[in-house]
Amino acid sequence: MDIVLLGPPGAGKGTQAERLAEHLEIPHISTGDILRDAAARGTQWGQKAKPLMDAGKLVPDEVVVGIVADRLAEPDCQRGALLDGFPRTIAQAGALGELLAACGHAPPVVVSLAVPDEELMRRLSGRRSCPRCQLITHVDELPDASPAVCPRCGAGLERRDDDAPEAVRRRLDEYAEKTRPLIQYYGDAGLLQAIDGNGSVDSVAQRVAAAVGSARNARPG
Ligand code: AMP
């Protein structure tokens, strides 16, 4: 079974995707992580994507579709994969449908996480990540005495370039204009499971797992 996690920036897709992929034993594919890695390594696509990402704009469809096509063709995706941050446009959703059909997979189960805008701003502006162990945390959860240090491995925490206020505003606008229409698109196709993304990580994880479970039970075979 292939799963798409859909939601605005800051909805908790990455955190939930990590847990769900581990639980279902399928690979977690984050196009944002793949693009950030390409940018850090300075590959040709990475260099093109970096300024767009830093400004909070979407990377062109053909770039991300190419990345996902290559990744889905790898053997570990045969049993299914969990897509986090893809698709983000109607064109990408169409391309995903074709890619899955070409490898004999059913259409994806789409879980959308809804979180109010004020909460998204709070989460994104305080989000910090660890460049060494990849922990993602929030300044509200860090001790006052050492707010810049990773509580897991002790490395210096960083703020993503695109979590700067101007970029956050642009990302929310891009989401509203280009990605939110996917809720209707997948709803019309009968593939959508809409979840309340508010609350603790554990409570949202339970809702996500329940939604995936019921979607799985509703499918033939
Ligand atoms: P994320 O980590 O998912 O928030 O993605 C970070 C940034 O990577 C986004 O703001 C976009 O610039 C780019 N990106 C990630 N996934 C996609 C996608 N499916 N389509 C276009 N751009 C993407």
Side-chain angles (χ1 to χ4, degrees):
M1 186 167 67
D2 297 277
I3 300 170
V4 167
L5 265 190
L6 192 63
K13 297 187 297 294
T15 309
Q16 295 298 335
E18 221 171 84
R19 290 190 170 208
L20 188 61
E22 201 180 311
H23 173 64
L24 297 174
E25 298 182 357
I26 54 175
H28 168 199
I29 303 174
S30 156
T31 42
D33 284 350
I34 294 171
L35 288 165
R36 273 185 291 280
D37 180 61
R41 287 187 293 116
T43 67
Q44 193 195 352
W45 285 120
Q47 284 178 24
K48 288 198 173 133
K50 170 100 172 111
L52 293 169
M53 295 170 74
D54 287 351
K57 293 185 188 167
L58 292 187
V59 172
D61 287 337
E62 56 275 22
V63 176
V64 275
V65 169
I67 287 172
V68 171
D70 286 350
R71 184 64 188 87
L72 288 179
E74 288 180 31
D76 63 336
C77 294
Q78 259 167 22
R79 284 184 51 245
L82 175 49
L83 291 155
D84 156 16
F86 180 94
R88 265 175 153 103
T89 64
I90 299 279
Q92 291 178 20
L96 175 63
E98 285 170 19
L99 286 170
L100 293 177
C103 52
H105 287 204
V109 171
V110 180
V111 179
S112 89
L113 298 172
V115 176
D117 273 0
E118 319 80 74
E119 173 63 6
L120 295 175
M121 287 302 287
R122 188 196 73 80
R123 290 186 188 181
L124 291 169
S125 56
R127 180 162 70 177
R128 299 290 181 270
S129 59
C130 175
R132 193 194 292 161
C133 75
Q134 318 305 326
L135 178 78
I136 298 170
T137 183
H138 191 278
V139 287
D140 290 351
E141 286 159 22
L142 297 165
D144 290 344
S146 52
V149 174
C150 176
R152 188 156 72 188
C153 77
L157 291 171
E158 293 176 347
R159 183 173 79 175
R160 267 169 52 171
D161 290 335
D162 61 353
D163 281 344
E166 186 53 32
V168 166
R169 267 188 293 278
R170 171 79 75 149
R171 288 162 67 203
L172 291 173
D173 288 350
E174 289 276 83
Y175 172 79
E177 187 192 334
K178 295 174 182 158
T179 309
R180 194 183 287 143
L182 291 178
I183 293 178
Q184 171 106 37
Y185 174 94
Y186 281 123
D188 289 348
L191 301 173
L192 190 74
Q193 299 280 330
I195 300 288
D196 178 3
N198 249 323
S200 69
V201 170
D202 284 343
S203 59
V204 177
Q206 279 173 12
R207 280 174 228 147
V208 171
V212 169
S214 69
R216 175 186 262 167
N217 291 338
R219 291 204 167 191

